Amino acid sequence: MSVKYGILTILSQSPKHRYDLKVTLENMMYKQWTLNPGQVYSTIDRLVRDKLVEEVSNAENDLKLYQITKNGREEVERWLQNPIEVLLLHDEFFFKILCAKRLNFDLLNKMIFQQKEAVIKKILQLHYLRKELENTAESEAMLYLIEGGLLHLEADLKWMDMISDLEGY
Amino acid sequence: MINVRNLKKSYQISDDRYQVLNDINLDVSKGEFVSIMGPSGSGKSTLLNILGGLDTPDSGEVLINNINIDSLNDKKKTLFRRENIGFIFQNYQLLHNMTVEENISMPMHADKINKNIIEKQVKDIIDAVGLKGKEKNFPSQLSGGQQQRVSIARALIMNPVLILADEPTGNLDRKTGTEVLKLLSNLHRNNHLTILMVTHDIYAASYSDRIILLKDGHVEMDVKHEKEGENVDLITNILEKLNS
Ligand SMILES: Nc1ncnc2c1ncn2[C@@H]1O[C@H](COP(=O)(O)OP(=O)(O)OP(=O)(O)O)[C@@H](O)[C@H]1O
Ligand SMILES: [Mg+2]
């Protein structure tokens, strides 16, 4: 996930100082991302170089204020509108299965069992997170993420059950 | 609340004996919301029916609140069930010639409870499950989701300590099913109910606090949420997942 688009999104709303940007970005992610300042600041420098963001001259104090440019706004819109490439086999467990089959790994059964357990644990974690967020305002987007996560995990489980069946466990 | 020890159950079909439950051990504490999952034929309904005293084990022990229901005579068993356990089924099991109100109050009439008390309780529970205005409807005049709400209300009317639900969302689409699950989840939280829910659907199970998988008549997996507040990294994981 790109810090770049997070910064551009926040600057689309109003100009900000560096440190402000970092904090706002972290809050936007419900503090689930801890960003190192260097990463944020070097991204800002790159955005300035690419003319997506510019410095505002600020007489009152020395802190540099950044604002988005017309190109920057267009870049965010383009990013939001373009579909993301659908990549399979990014999941390490997919790849593990591939390798285990190749090696005729005799603990495939156990491997699937443990992965299933890990997935179910994550599902229960999401359940608690959902409970927590249901009582707080402005968490709608995060609830969408949780539901999305649950659906992905559901698919993972079904897939593992399918392999178990096919392997005759 | 529930203690199951070395529970076994088999069925004789012509010359063959099928071991449906093979040495089940299980403890459920008061206030837990547990999902029971597993492939078709793994013995989920059989287990639930034995827990509710609707079926009897071959051997082993089942205690509900320290009472061995299997040791009760039929009359006492019926009474114990009515006062302690609420049942919810996939196909609602409502009486079709009775209205919503009448279906819900049914268990109370069997107990010869004062009429005013019945009316008040029925009204409260109808509000709680979101069926206001449907009191005089017959089941055929309700959607599936609404019929399941009636059966939930009926299950709750005697203030049971334990709810046994066999695929309560099995006949509902995801949206309606989710509404029913949210209702169960709220009732669970507000009334300190213990709920055991059989389901095929891991998404439905995501509304419970503990997930048990049955396989070939035994407990294959029993997963509880360990620590609350262990949510750091979690969303980052989801983001990666959604992005991969
Ligand atoms: N009364 C009965 N007589 C004979 N066999 C039975 C009886 N009740 C259940 N069985 C058998 O016991 C096994 C387990 O049945 P059960 O209904 O508990 O499965 P389940 O896990 O609830 O399945 P499903 O997900 O399809 O509802 C099945 O093979 C079933 O055929
Ligand atoms: Mg069943």
Side-chain angles (χ1 to χ4, degrees), chain A residues 1 29-30 32-33 84-85 87-88 90-91 113 116-117 120-132 134-135 142 145-154 156-157 169, chain B residues 174 182 185 188-189 200-203 205-211 213 215 220-244:
Chain A
M1 272 285 283
M29 296 309 304
Y30 294 83
Q32 302 289 327
W33 269 6
I84 298 161
E85 195 190 344
L87 296 170
L88 293 174
H90 245 200
D91 189 318
F113 179 92
K116 250 172 94 171
E117 194 169 32
I120 292 175
K121 280 200 174 128
K122 192 115 292 185
I123 285 171
L124 289 177
Q125 258 180 309
L126 285 178
H127 157 67
Y128 277 91
L129 189 59
R130 177 172 58 194
K131 266 205 226 173
E132 276 172 30
E134 268 169 357
N135 306 318
M142 207 41 94
L145 282 186
I146 292 174
E147 294 298 321
L150 283 168
L151 291 173
H152 277 269
L153 293 170
E154 177 179 4
D156 284 351
L157 271 188
Y169 299 138
Chain B
R174 180 150 285 189
K182 285 189 174 156
S185 162
H188 165 248
R189 193 178 47 221
H200 270 118
D201 179 5
I202 186 71
Y203 183 80
S206 82
Y207 278 85
S208 61
D209 307 323
R210 178 176 168 193
I211 296 177
L213 302 191
K215 191 183 177 187
E220 184 196 25
M221 205 184 281
D222 185 346
V223 187
K224 267 188 230 191
H225 180 72
E226 279 146 13
K227 273 176 252 145
E228 290 204 34
E230 223 194 26
N231 289 324
V232 187
D233 288 343
L234 191 58
I235 294 182
T236 320
N237 281 347
I238 307 173
L239 287 170
E240 276 164 9
K241 194 112 230 180
L242 291 174
N243 236 3
S244 66

Side-chain angles (χ1 to χ4, degrees), chain B residues 87-96 103 139 143-152 154 165-172:
Chain B
F87 292 91
I88 302 168
F89 301 96
Q90 178 173 3
N91 55 4
Y92 327 126
Q93 304 214 355
L94 302 175
L95 294 170
H96 289 279
N103 265 289
S143 71
Q146 289 166 339
Q147 290 186 54
Q148 194 55 297
R149 285 166 191 272
V150 178
S151 94
I152 291 173
R154 182 187 56 192
D166 198 346
E167 307 207 28
T169 59
N171 285 355
L172 304 174

Side-chain angles (χ1 to χ4, degrees), chain B residues 157-221:
Chain B
I157 196 73
M158 299 295 285
N159 285 315
V161 288
L162 173 64
I163 294 282
L164 299 175
D166 198 346
E167 307 207 28
T169 59
N171 285 355
L172 304 174
D173 65 22
R174 180 150 285 189
K175 186 161 173 280
T176 320
T178 302
E179 285 163 9
V180 166
L181 289 163
K182 285 189 174 156
L183 173 63
L184 277 177
S185 162
N186 287 338
L187 294 165
H188 165 248
R189 193 178 47 221
N190 299 335
N191 305 340
H192 310 291
L193 281 170
T194 308
I195 303 181
L196 248 73
M197 172 174 80
V198 164
T199 178
H200 270 118
D201 179 5
I202 186 71
Y203 183 80
S206 82
Y207 278 85
S208 61
D209 307 323
R210 178 176 168 193
I211 296 177
I212 292 173
L213 302 191
L214 288 190
K215 191 183 177 187
D216 306 328
H218 68 269
V219 175
E220 184 196 25
M221 205 184 281

